[in-house]
Every structure is written in C-alpha cells, then in structure tokens.
Amino acid sequence: MKIGFGCDHAAVSLKNTLMEHLKSQGYECVDYGSYDPNVKTNYPEKGLEVAEAIMRGDVDKGVLICGTGVGISLAANKVPGIRAAVCSEPYTAEYTVRHNNANIIAMGARVVGDELAKKIVDAFFSAEFEGGRHAMRVDMITDIEKKYGAAWHE
C-alpha cells in the first residue's frame, strides 16, 4: 500500500517518525512535506495536497498531522471522496476504517506522542471496511457531498 504523508511545521518530527515506522512494516510512503519545522507551512495546503493525491490514485491512503489534526483534516475533507478522521487513540482509528471507510487518518502532534501515534496508525492501517449497513451510510455521506458540492457556492 502506498501512503501519502502531509504535515505543517508543528508536526515534521512526528511525520518523520511515523513514516519510518510504516516503512519498517513494508508500506511505501510518499512525503508531501512539510520538511522543516522552522519554516511556517499552511496546513490547508498539505491537507489538500494529500487528498488530491488520493483522488488521483497516486497514493492509496493518507496520514495528515498538524498541531491538533483538526485543521488539516478539515481541508482534506473538502475534496470529494475524502473521508479524513482525526483520531487521538487506536479504537477510533480502527473503527473509522471499519465503519466509515476513512482514507485519511489525521492527528495532532501537540496531542499525541510518538508511541501513541504509532499505535493509532497501526490500528488504522490494519483495519478493513466492513461494508454492509456501513456501506449504505458511507453512500449517504457521499450523497451529502454531491448535494453541497462546488455548485452550492456559485
């Protein structure tokens, strides 16, 4: 599986830690930055970059990290077909895949430490979408996305 990583300046260290962790498990990781914690990066740009890479098929899933995980996930969720979930513990990370078919895990570098973050991504990437009644609900989310797409703002 190919995973896209994106972060702002607050999360460079955690991004690098998680990339190495997942590479050691055989995942292919694509780094969309940020690369330098001393250079301010706007988290919406990185959220968008990884979300668009998933939409194009350049990567299969994504990991996004900013100070809290919230802002970067909000940006990613504006891209059609993206289901980014902020998780601060493994249970939610597992179930956001199992029930919501999430394709991006987001977290806060100022919220979780390295070891907890590893457990979160492990739970996310080991989970599989259950389908069934959950597929109907994911379809409902997609219908909302279609209803309030770009035309809504014109």
Side-chain angles (χ1 to χ4, degrees):
M1 179 183 299
K2 191 184 254 188
I3 303 167
F5 281 79
C7 70
D8 69 0
H9 54 279
V12 173
S13 177
L14 182 55
K15 177 202 68 172
N16 292 339
T17 296
L18 292 177
M19 285 182 62
E20 288 307 312
H21 175 69
L22 290 173
K23 283 180 185 176
S24 75
Q25 296 179 27
Y27 291 97
E28 183 179 349
C29 299
V30 180
D31 190 349
Y32 292 94
S34 185
Y35 308 104
D36 185 342
N38 299 309
V39 176
K40 298 285 186 204
T41 304
N42 296 314
Y43 57 79
E45 295 171 341
K46 295 304 166 185
L48 176 63
E49 198 170 352
V50 171
E52 287 180 334
I54 292 170
M55 195 172 86
R56 286 190 308 268
D58 296 343
V59 296
D60 302 303
K61 290 191 176 189
V63 175
L64 295 175
I65 316 165
C66 65
T68 63
V70 174
I72 201 164
S73 70
L74 291 173
N77 277 319
K78 299 300 180 187
V79 176
I82 296 301
R83 289 171 305 283
V86 182
C87 298
S88 299
E89 39 68 37
Y91 181 84
T92 305
E94 176 186 347
Y95 276 84
T96 197
V97 174
R98 290 176 65 173
H99 290 187
N100 310 122
N101 202 17
N103 47 17
I104 294 179
I105 183 80
M107 65 188 82
R110 295 178 178 139
V111 178
V112 300
D114 289 2
E115 294 309 309
L116 179 54
K118 290 175 187 177
K119 291 176 183 175
I120 292 167
V121 296
D122 287 347
F124 182 81
F125 288 109
S126 65
E128 292 185 23
F129 182 51
E130 292 178 2
R133 71 182 190 276
H134 304 294
M136 176 188 72
R137 294 170 182 153
V138 171
D139 289 344
M140 292 170 77
I141 293 169
T142 302
D143 290 344
I144 294 168
E145 196 172 72
K146 290 175 184 172
K147 180 178 179 182
Y148 293 100
W152 176 254
H153 299 287
E154 292 175 353

